[in-house]
Amino acid sequence: VALGEGFNVTVEAMRIQRACLNLRGEYREGGDFDVSFQKINPHELRRSTKKKDDSGFEALADASVVVQASYQNFDGVALKAFEEAQTYVFAFNGVLMDPETDVGQKIIDNINRLITNQKRAVFITNDSTMSRKSFLHKLTNEFDIDILQSVHSVATLKSQGTSSNATVEEKKDVLQRLCVITSAYTCAWYCKQHGKIKKPFVITHGTGLLEELKLAGIKHYFATVDEDGNPKKEFSEPASLAAIEGIVKQAPGVDAILVGWDHRLSALTVAVAENFIRWNEELYDETGGKEGGILPIITCSSDLDAMIGRTSADFLVPSFQNRKVRAMGNGMMANAVCQRTGMMHSHIPIDVGKPSQILQEHLRRDPKHGGLGVDFGRSVMVGDNLEADVKLANECGMKSLLVLSGVTCREMLEREEGTDRMPTWVIDSFANVYP
């Protein structure tokens, strides 16, 4: 069809749900539009400019996506460009260090220096053990980050009608919605939007994910911990027929599997999740679809590894002093469930953490619609993970500063070939940004 001079038309075959996601930019000025989350395949939430959709057609690249051919070591020239940003999006684990150490305190001082210079600081984490409230409390009380005193926070509180006489906790209740995001929150948000997840089996540690689920109106979950975050005794048993039957009979109506970062993940927990999934699928086939079904698996992140700290300078094994301490990541836990159910090749869990599009949309979306309103074109992502942080920045159109104080080391960076995981700048630690 001739459309006239000056029209350039690109045709791409895609499913309806994918088309809605690709067209989201067209609706930004006109308000939000509804997309059913019940039928969206997780593959459609993991778009890449290099991947093809189910039809075999190349996916159209967003105009905002950054294609980073190489990185620069952070220096005086980079600092000048770095300071041109208005918003700094900080990852947590791997960027911030123990505040009791000199390096940890220097990192805090550098963040507070940005805040003093009227910059906005936003903090995001894939650590699902924390709710937004507990995350903000940790940042302000344990790390002494001046979020409450920032120009942006003061303006936000005023725009929200918060009284000047409001208590610190009342101010935090407002700011937790506009300064921080945790994957516990995005997981609960997704479940609420899905509409049919009412009784999920929650694999988790601590209370963060449970708190966010309750705020989202999902209160009939069945979790591996009690309401105080203590591990339930039944999940400490060896995997056996009696143990699995005893757990499953407590919650036969489970309708989804939520995989958080469980520091005590066991063979029994994975087996319980597997049998919830398999038995529901078998029941669905046996009843012709009248009972059972395919349970969605939602993971709070796809991180395969995590850094949980460093050994002390006086560690009893001298050769292992001041070493990074790594642990199994949330994504590895979700993969364990999927591999046991034989789903790894046909399905992937729905990722609601960094760098998922769900989390990207929460960063971008206007606060009036529940987002943080981050202007990606004037922002810098500071993180330690090539997949979770740098890829997030490149897909959103942000510049990125990779710190080597977390899970990524210089050797890993040198081996990296993907342009979607190539940072703008690299530095050993955020403590070195300002001498």
Side-chain angles (χ1 to χ4, degrees), residues 40 79 92 103 176 200 286 377 412:
I40 289 182
L79 176 60
F92 180 63
V103 172
Q176 71 181 19
E286 292 164 359
M412 293 169 62

Side-chain angles (χ1 to χ4, degrees), residues 72-83:
Q72 300 174 14
N73 289 313
F74 197 84
D75 55 17
V77 175
L79 176 60
K80 184 176 180 180
F82 176 81
E83 290 183 322

